[in-house]
Amino acid sequence: AQRVTQPEKLLSVFKGAPVELKCNYSYSGSPELFWYVQYSRQRLQLLLRHISRESIKGFTADLNKGETSFHLKKPFAQEEDSAMYYCALKRTSGSRLTFGEGTQLTVNP
Amino acid sequence: EPEVTQTPSHQVTQMGQEVILRCVPISNHLYFYWYRQILGQKVEFLVSFYNNEISEKSEIFDDQFSVERPDGSNFTLKIRSTKLEDSAMYFCASIREWSDTQYFGPGTRLTVL
């Protein structure tokens, strides 16, 4: 069975500091990995998917199959980045998403 | 940009009552999903629906739950006899094609008293 782990429930950084939100997964096949963001009182929104290799709002994430990780990084955090971030996995068979526990990021002024 | 909508935003019910949560997926989408999130816990998959039938369901989705697409626009989740532990945020999602990313609705907060 697949599993996604986000080891940090809470992460607090200062504006302008680098930020890294960790995500590890376990799955025997070739998964597709996503980062979703949920701003206060808003819906889950897609931030990144690993196959598109984009940078959105300054965030990047690289799939490391050797370490089974998909950490989310941003070199200079902004206050508006404060939100809940969820890492999610989709298996090669089926389209359901398996989510991690989420990391609440707070960017302090 | 089109969005998935859900009604109501908050539903309060008594234990043992039936509830129906409603979702309107994006109009040309073909695959539909329900997830739930108990307060303080992770978002969990409940069920996926395609071509008017359930394509996948989790172990959470027992006989108390059912889904339906009663017309061309709505997608509903029914809980037959609610329990206290059904209190959660319920999210609907939809996609057009298998390879798409899922678009989520704003959620319905269900409180069972």
Side-chain angles (χ1 to χ4, degrees), chain A residues 6 9 38-39 42-44 84-86 99-104, chain B residues 6 21 34-46 60 65 77 85-92 104-111:
Chain A
Q6 294 178 248
K9 279 200 162 178
Q38 188 175 34
Y39 300 104
Q42 295 187 27
R43 69 188 66 209
L44 284 162
M84 193 73 171
Y85 290 80
Y86 294 97
F99 284 87
E101 301 90 341
T103 298
Q104 178 68 49
Chain B
Q6 290 184 244
L21 309 183
W34 283 102
Y35 293 83
R36 79 169 185 193
Q37 185 178 29
I38 295 170
L39 187 64
Q41 298 186 24
K42 63 173 69 178
V43 177
E44 300 173 291
F45 169 79
L46 291 177
I60 303 168
F65 291 91
L77 174 70
E85 54 265 35
D86 293 328
S87 294
M89 196 76 166
Y90 289 81
F91 295 102
C92 174
F104 282 82
T108 292
R109 180 168 299 286
L110 177 64
T111 302

Side-chain angles (χ1 to χ4, degrees), chain A residues 56-72:
Chain A
I56 306 292
K57 300 185 180 183
F59 285 97
T60 58
D62 288 315
L63 180 61
N64 185 324
K65 292 186 178 179
E67 295 182 358
T68 59
S69 68
F70 188 56
H71 303 327
L72 184 67

Side-chain angles (χ1 to χ4, degrees), chain A:
Chain A
Q2 68 277 8
R3 184 178 174 88
V4 177
T5 304
Q6 294 178 248
E8 302 134 330
K9 279 200 162 178
L10 302 171
L11 186 62
S12 184
V13 301
F14 285 103
K15 178 182 168 182
V19 64
E20 182 179 50
L21 290 83
K22 291 185 168 45
C23 172
N24 290 91
Y25 68 90
S26 61
Y27 177 57
S28 54
S30 292
E32 189 172 355
L33 274 295
F34 304 82
W35 277 99
Y36 279 83
V37 61
Q38 188 175 34
Y39 300 104
S40 180
R41 300 181 192 279
Q42 295 187 27
R43 69 188 66 209
L44 284 162
Q45 303 171 40
L46 177 71
L47 183 62
L48 287 174
R49 60 191 298 192
H50 90 268
I51 61 170
S52 60
R53 303 184 68 82
E54 293 176 292
S55 172
I56 306 292
K57 300 185 180 183
F59 285 97
T60 58
D62 288 315
L63 180 61
N64 185 324
K65 292 186 178 179
E67 295 182 358
T68 59
S69 68
F70 188 56
H71 303 327
L72 184 67
K73 299 176 186 178
K74 185 169 183 177
F76 307 104
Q78 304 299 313
E79 288 179 69
E80 55 265 29
D81 296 328
S82 295
M84 193 73 171
Y85 290 80
Y86 294 97
C87 183
L89 176 152
K90 189 170 93 164
R91 303 173 303 184
T92 45
S93 61
S95 58
R96 66 191 277 184
L97 292 173
T98 299
F99 284 87
E101 301 90 341
T103 298
Q104 178 68 49
L105 174 66
T106 302
V107 181
N108 299 299

